[in-house]
Amino acid sequence: MTPAPADLSGLSGRFLAMLGPHGVITDPVRLRTYECDGLTYHRATPAVVVLPETAEQVAAVVRACHETGTPFVARGSGTGLSGGALPRSDGVLIVTSRMRRILEIDVENRRAVVEPGVTNLAITEAARPYGYYYAPDPSSQQICSIGGNVAENSGGAHCLKYGFTVNHVLAVELVTPEGEIVLLDAMDPGYDLLGAFIGSEGTLGIATKITVRLSREPETVTTLLAAFPDVETGGVAVSAIIGAGIVPAAIEMMDALAIEAAEAAVRCDYPPGAGAVLIVELDGPHAEVAHEFARVDAICRESGAFAVRVADDPARRAAIWKGRRSAFAAVGRISPAYLVQDGVVPRTALPAVLAGIERLSARYGIRVANVFHAGDGNLHPLVLFDDAEEGAGERAELVSGEILDLCLEHGGSITGEHGVGVDKSRYMPKMFTAEDLDTMQLVRCAFDPRNLSNPGKIFPTPRLCGEVPGVRKGVHPLVASGEADLF
Amino acid sequence: MDPELIKDCVHCGFCLPTCPTYALWGEEMDSPRGRIHLMKQHVEGTPLTPEMAGHFDACLGCMACVTACPSGVRYDTLIEQTRAEVERTHRRGWDERAFRALVFGLFPHPRRLRALRLPLKLTERLRPRLAPLLERLDPRLAAMAALAPPVPRRTLIPPLVAARGERRAVVGMLTGCVQAEFFPRVNAATARVLALEGCDVVVPPRQGCCGALSVHSGRPEEAARFARRTIATFERAGVETVIVNAAGCGSSTKEYADLLAGDPAWAERARALRFVDLAEFLAELGPAAERHPLPMTVAYHDACHLAHAQGVRAQPRALLAGVPELRVREIPDAAMCCGSAGTYNLFQPEAARELGDRKAEQVLGVGADLLVSANPGCTMQIASAARRRGEELRVAHTAEVLDASLRGLSPAALGAP
Ligand SMILES: Cc1cc2nc3c(=O)[nH]c(=O)nc-3n(C[C@H](O)[C@H](O)[C@H](O)COP(=O)(O)OP(=O)(O)OC[C@H]3O[C@@H](n4cnc5c(N)ncnc54)[C@H](O)[C@@H]3O)c2cc1C
Ligand code: SF4
Ligand code: SF4
């Protein structure tokens, strides 16, 4: 059971006046449907949920929270995989699912202005008639919100060539944790506050309007599916492709278990007997794609691919991608429960890390399916277990955690694109020193001195701004030594 | 509610963008993921509250979430079980109970529907004037009156329609309750098309309701009774294949074996009969009769119970595309329900109306001469939404278009300009 929600009836009364009866949820059964995001084993029922429709309403709610010292958490579509949108049972959950208007498609300036609840794919769909699209493409693109993407600095298969969310957001209007509406623009002189906000996981305020860059649809897109006997040979091909100076739009790899799941879910019909498949997508001007394609094809075969399929029309490309896109959710077909891990390693360390994962899997008797953005070394091991089996969940947790240790050992990171959230905050001290973490807190305190905006996420324990709810205690060593200042 | 089926949901949210109620209200509890969460709360011990029941009632049963779910969650089975649970344990207000009794006492009964024809006919011109009054009394009554179609002349289909030319198959035909009384032209067209394509068509007289309405409204015992009667009717008719031309009836007849699972002998009898959608069947059979040109543009609308529940999408499009000079256009956001959803537009008129308005806007944007679908409920719903916008939409069933082409009629015969 999750902790019982606190009584915030005074505050809910104020919200009712601001948002009307359809904008406030206080019924316990309804509240519980918001208890988790895509990571279901962290759960907490929010004390109250609000569904604002405008930035002013968000600001009014946040101001009321600020005044009363009530913590609040932003939520988009609730697809996060690190518990970032995990509610506070003593706080308010601010959901953007009714802020889903596309305000402007500005083709001449190649940008779109949207509200935070607009889904990633909806932007592309609105831009497509003009020959444009929104480049970052998380596998959850049909449902994840752009506000969530900004908060998590989300990536996707095509970020290898085109960059992550941070490379495609031009401006953000946000409500600060004190309830002020401000605009951060990439063109502003001075500190890159927009850069600080993107990837801040809801801890620096709530985005209410986002201006994104639209990209021109490439002249040609060719997708190649290569089947290998095992992940090692697939890995060799990846290194050889990048080594040859080619930057494909995407290079994705799936191992045998992930292929099995995808086949079960969407019958993607990959070449039978493959121990791994590599999906390589090339895009750009026709001549360039044709030239690069010939080289990639040759490299794959030289590295040991036993089957290569090519698709250059949208339907056949979609057929190849279908398996990859559904892979996460599809493992539900071959396992009662699973954990999705997200880690990064230098591309050259991929073979060693994959071998390490296999050893872990054997040692704990826990199956691990691998789906990953091979081009930038972003691993997504799916740790499969049966939650009905005694102790299996704990062993899966151990495997999942040790995979991150493995990534760190090889000079990698504990998250590539799913964020730290509540799930990985405990790993932060493994990656950063106490001083590093304190310095990050300084940034946080500059935005959120009362530590009310999504508290308990990213950082293992709130250090500088004091315990929740409350005021600052003590002085940071860097401030004391005169090396840093709060404001 | 089967906890194992609930566990299949991994909470990924991929089903949210296709859910009509989530599109309308943007709330977790009115999304498939949220409804499954409510079911989970209930099986874990939370009593079924009126709020919970409200969110289950608001579900259209369009099954778009089943199509969208990569984890294979059987939401269709789950919501059927849930509706039955709601009917068992939830006590509705007296007005709601009375209205439901009216609907369930009327629709699945062709003879009572027939009795209604005369009063409907007489009040045809009065109804628009009554509408505002009914709206004030109860929006549900207004919805019912607004939806009552103009009463057509009855068309009797003979019990056997013989194949033209070489006989390629012998099939039964389900006439349906609402279909038979209010859209007899669709049934006549279906029988003619089948005969022209070389089928002997057996049409048992006095067929009852197939049970679709009951099974989709949490009344499994009533549904099972209707199912057994339908199976017996077609056994007596001596056919193995039964053609169904209404999407809702198609999906429920295909699930007879599951519905009757508690009764192995009847489940076996259900399995021995093959219920199949008209378009699905014709696509398998392959064209034989000559198609005459129909120079017009049609917009094809996917009925939820055909596309999502039966997975029949390509076949009707292929049949239409096979008509010379007929252009088929796609409607944007095709997977989204029009809000008709069986009895939904009676029980949840406001939501249904809003969804109808959205769909009508998209259909009108396509700019076709005719709107085609495999479910008169859908086309009626979209046409009445268009009428609210002051636009007249011509509508037809896939069978009527094929019939016109096979008989060499002109687009005008379908009401198109
Ligand atoms: C099946 C599946 C596949 C996925 N694939 C990918 C992938 O390929 N790449 C990838 O990067 N991610 C992926 N994800 C993770 C997830 O979809 C992303 O993190 C996404 O950006 C979350 O968006 P959301 O709207 O669901 O946000 P939520 O889960 O609702 O929230 C995520 C975080 O953002 C914060 N937040 C939400 N809205 C705002 C706002 N307006 N202002 C400030 N903070 C806000 C929340 O507080 C929370 O910390 C996947 C998830 C699933 C379930
Ligand atoms: S059946 Fe339709 S309305 Fe009901 S939850 Fe699924 S998508 Fe939503
Ligand atoms: S029903 Fe399917 S698509 Fe929807 S949240 Fe559950 S697993 Fe995901």
Side-chain angles (χ1 to χ4, degrees):
Chain A
M1 274 311 274
T2 66
D7 181 18
L8 292 185
S9 42
L11 209 48
S12 336
R14 288 174 66 183
F15 294 154
L16 271 174
M18 296 171 193
L19 307 173
H22 292 299
V24 185
I25 299 171
T26 51
D27 171 72
V29 162
R30 289 178 174 151
L31 286 174
R32 260 193 74 190
T33 63
Y34 286 95
E35 70 181 0
C36 63
D37 60 7
L39 187 70
T40 53
Y41 56 87
H42 292 288
R43 276 178 270 165
T45 307
V48 52
V49 170
V50 292
L51 296 152
E53 291 179 25
T54 64
E56 288 68 32
Q57 289 180 341
V58 175
V61 168
V62 170
R63 270 198 304 277
C65 290
H66 182 72
E67 270 169 36
T68 51
T70 311
F72 60 89
V73 178
R75 170 172 162 129
S77 302
T79 68
L81 291 172
S82 54
L86 177 75
R88 296 275 303 206
S89 52
D90 58 350
V92 180
L93 188 70
I94 304 177
V95 185
T96 61
S97 56
R98 286 201 188 141
M99 299 177 75
R100 46 188 170 180
R101 273 166 302 206
I102 294 179
L103 302 171
E104 195 184 342
I105 297 285
D106 179 358
V107 178
E108 257 126 68
N109 294 305
R110 295 179 156 213
R111 41 187 234 160
V113 184
V114 301
E115 291 187 333
V118 170
T119 63
N120 173 300
L121 189 61
I123 304 179
T124 286
E125 277 169 359
R128 195 178 284 141
Y130 308 100
Y132 287 85
Y133 73 113
Y134 176 64
D137 58 339
S139 306
S140 52
Q141 67 180 152
Q142 71 261 52
I143 179 58
C144 63
S145 73
I146 189 73
N149 288 180
V150 168
E152 300 287 3
N153 188 20
S154 299
H158 292 81
C159 292
L160 173 61
K161 181 170 177 180
Y162 294 105
F164 285 72
T165 303
V166 68
N167 304 105
H168 297 269
V169 171
L170 302 173
V172 168
E173 176 197 88
L174 66 113
V175 170
T176 69
E178 292 171 303
E180 203 184 331
I181 301 180
V182 301
L183 184 71
L184 300 178
D185 195 306
M187 305 294 274
D188 288 343
Y191 294 122
D192 182 13
L193 293 181
L194 180 62
F197 185 79
I198 297 171
S200 64
E201 304 192 19
T203 60
L204 303 184
I206 301 182
T208 47
K209 191 158 53 174
I210 295 143
T211 307
V212 298
R213 184 200 312 285
L214 297 177
S215 306
R216 184 105 193 123
E217 276 181 358
E219 188 189 354
T220 316
V221 184
T222 297
T223 307
L224 172 144
L225 178 81
F228 292 88
D230 47 50
V231 247
E232 284 72 31
T233 43
V236 171
V238 173
S239 292
I241 292 168
I242 307 269
I246 300 170
V247 185
I251 309 188
E252 300 283 302
M253 185 138 65
M254 291 165 70
D255 73 0
L257 209 49
I259 299 170
E260 184 190 327
E263 290 286 357
V266 295
R267 270 174 268 129
C268 46
D269 203 20
Y270 287 169
V277 293
L278 205 59
I279 299 172
V280 184
E281 191 153 283
L282 298 161
D283 68 5
H286 193 73
E288 183 188 312
V289 170
H291 173 71
E292 286 183 342
F293 172 76
R295 298 193 57 196
V296 170
D297 185 45
I299 291 172
C300 284
R301 289 178 201 275
E302 280 158 24
S303 321
F306 65 83
V308 176
R309 275 187 206 161
V310 190
D312 40 22
D313 65 86
R316 287 174 44 212
R317 277 211 318 274
I320 290 183
W321 276 109
K322 200 166 154 190
R324 167 63 187 89
R325 291 216 180 276
S326 70
F328 277 174
V331 290
R333 304 251 183 171
I334 59 165
S335 173
Y338 64 93
L339 307 176
V340 183
Q341 192 45 285
D342 168 41
V344 188
V345 295
R347 198 170 40 242
T348 46
L350 269 178
V353 173
L354 287 171
I357 294 179
E358 216 171 293
R359 277 195 301 276
L360 280 174
S361 164
R363 172 142 50 92
Y364 288 97
I366 290 279
R367 295 187 299 167
V368 180
N370 281 294
V371 185
F372 48 98
H373 308 308
D376 40 24
N378 187 183
L379 297 169
H380 287 311
L382 301 157
V383 184
L384 315 185
F385 64 101
D386 184 351
D387 47 356
E389 186 190 322
E390 187 84 29
E394 288 71 23
R395 275 184 294 141
E397 274 270 9
L398 282 176
V399 171
S400 184
E402 287 190 31
I403 289 176
L404 289 186
D405 291 338
L406 210 56
C407 292
L408 289 175
E409 268 165 39
H410 287 85
S413 160
I414 57 168
T415 169
E417 53 187 20
H418 295 171
V420 179
V422 70
D423 194 45
K424 290 188 176 169
S425 56
R426 63 184 188 280
Y427 297 106
M428 287 291 271
K430 290 194 182 180
M431 217 177 143
F432 297 104
T433 63
E435 286 75 23
D436 291 338
L437 291 172
D438 282 349
T439 311
M440 292 184 207
Q441 279 294 319
L442 286 178
V443 178
R444 194 222 173 104
C445 292
F447 278 82
D448 181 17
R450 296 190 73 179
N451 196 18
L452 296 175
S453 193
N454 210 4
K457 310 294 164 67
I458 308 184
F459 302 104
T461 40
R463 292 169 76 98
L464 217 117
C465 313
E467 305 297 325
V468 197
V471 283
R472 269 188 57 214
K473 296 190 208 106
V475 180
H476 185 265
L478 287 179
V479 177
S481 67
E483 284 173 74
D485 203 349
L486 246 185
F487 297 103
Chain B
M1 294 172 231
D2 187 343
E4 289 304 311
L5 295 185
I6 293 175
K7 259 175 51 185
D8 285 342
C9 172
V10 299
H11 219 76
C12 67
F14 276 33
C15 51
L16 267 59
T18 55
C19 176
T21 54
Y22 186 75
L24 285 182
W25 305 313
E27 291 175 343
E28 190 69 19
M29 317 75 77
D30 279 310
S31 78
R33 182 176 64 181
R35 292 192 175 108
I36 293 170
H37 193 283
L38 292 172
M39 294 172 193
K40 177 165 163 267
Q41 291 189 39
H42 182 57
V43 299
E44 286 174 359
T46 311
L48 204 140
T49 64
E51 286 78 15
M52 264 191 205
H55 297 301
F56 296 138
D57 281 352
C59 165
L60 293 109
C62 69
M63 305 310 160
C65 49
V66 177
T67 303
C69 176
S71 304
V73 171
R74 295 307 309 261
Y75 182 86
D76 45 350
T77 311
L78 279 171
I79 192 71
E80 254 170 46
Q81 294 173 349
T82 304
R83 294 210 203 279
E85 175 83 4
V86 170
E87 292 313 305
R88 259 197 310 276
T89 56
H90 174 60
R91 192 160 168 80
R92 300 174 190 281
W94 68 267
D95 56 332
E96 217 182 321
R97 267 181 287 146
F99 187 67
R100 291 178 89 86
L102 176 69
V103 169
F104 291 113
L106 194 60
F107 279 86
H109 303 281
R111 255 178 299 169
R112 294 182 204 165
L113 275 178
R114 203 167 306 148
L116 205 69
R117 290 167 53 92
L118 187 66
L120 274 177
K121 181 91 210 159
L122 294 176
T123 55
E124 214 157 79
R125 275 199 254 140
L126 198 63
R127 268 181 278 147
R129 280 195 280 152
L130 274 175
L133 178 71
L134 284 175
E135 187 70 53
R136 248 177 299 144
L137 269 174
D138 187 335
R140 288 170 301 191
L141 284 178
M144 203 159 157
L147 280 167
V151 182
R153 287 246 307 279
R154 291 199 69 201
T155 320
L156 285 179
I157 303 173
L160 176 73
V161 183
R164 297 290 176 83
E166 187 202 344
R167 188 172 76 189
R168 300 200 286 158
V170 180
V171 297
M173 184 179 131
L174 187 85
T175 49
C177 357
V178 178
Q179 188 97 300
E181 290 312 315
F182 293 107
F183 305 96
R185 282 175 37 180
V186 176
N187 279 343
T190 303
R192 272 197 301 268
V193 168
L194 285 166
L196 287 167
E197 288 285 26
C199 305
D200 273 352
V201 190
V202 184
V203 191
R206 281 190 298 283
Q207 299 180 23
C209 174
C210 70
L213 210 60
S214 316
V215 76
H216 298 145
S217 313
R219 302 159 77 97
E221 290 82 21
E222 187 180 84
R225 266 200 313 281
F226 284 132
R228 281 193 287 265
R229 214 174 62 196
T230 308
I231 292 168
T233 304
F234 284 100
E235 283 173 348
R236 273 198 305 278
V239 292
E240 283 162 15
T241 304
V242 181
I243 308 297
V244 187
N245 60 10
C249 307
S251 73
S252 71
T253 48
K254 281 182 179 173
E255 285 157 15
Y256 274 175
D258 293 333
L259 177 67
L260 298 168
D263 189 344
W266 272 101
E268 200 43 50
R269 288 168 74 172
R271 267 188 290 274
L273 272 177
R274 180 182 181 222
F275 289 92
V276 57
D277 173 70
L278 173 70
E280 200 180 7
F281 177 78
L282 289 176
E284 274 169 26
L285 191 68
E290 192 195 340
R291 267 88 174 137
H292 301 283
L294 276 175
M296 64 193 294
T297 307
V298 304
Y300 180 75
H301 165 73
D302 279 307
C304 293
H305 274 100
L306 194 62
H308 297 305
Q310 300 182 56
V312 176
R313 294 184 188 84
Q315 299 92 324
R317 289 177 168 82
L319 285 173
L320 292 170
V323 174
E325 294 179 38
L326 185 92
R327 289 168 303 276
V328 187
R329 293 239 179 104
E330 290 296 324
I331 301 164
D333 217 356
M336 183 67 72
C337 182
C338 65
S340 162
T343 50
Y344 193 82
N345 45 13
L346 299 177
F347 293 129
Q348 309 270 337
E350 287 96 353
R353 180 182 299 203
E354 224 174 300
L355 289 168
D357 288 343
R358 289 178 176 218
K359 186 60 87 179
E361 187 181 337
Q362 274 163 333
V363 171
L364 290 167
V366 169
D369 303 318
L370 189 71
L371 172 66
V372 180
S373 103
N375 207 23
C378 301
T379 39
M380 220 167 54
Q381 156 90 352
I382 303 170
S384 74
R387 215 168 298 131
R388 282 197 294 278
R389 302 165 59 102
E391 308 239 18
E392 207 49 47
L393 250 186
R394 303 279 162 208
V395 301
H397 188 284
T398 319
E400 294 175 284
V401 179
L402 287 176
D403 180 46
S405 167
L406 294 186
R407 290 159 68 206
L409 304 181
S410 73
L414 292 163

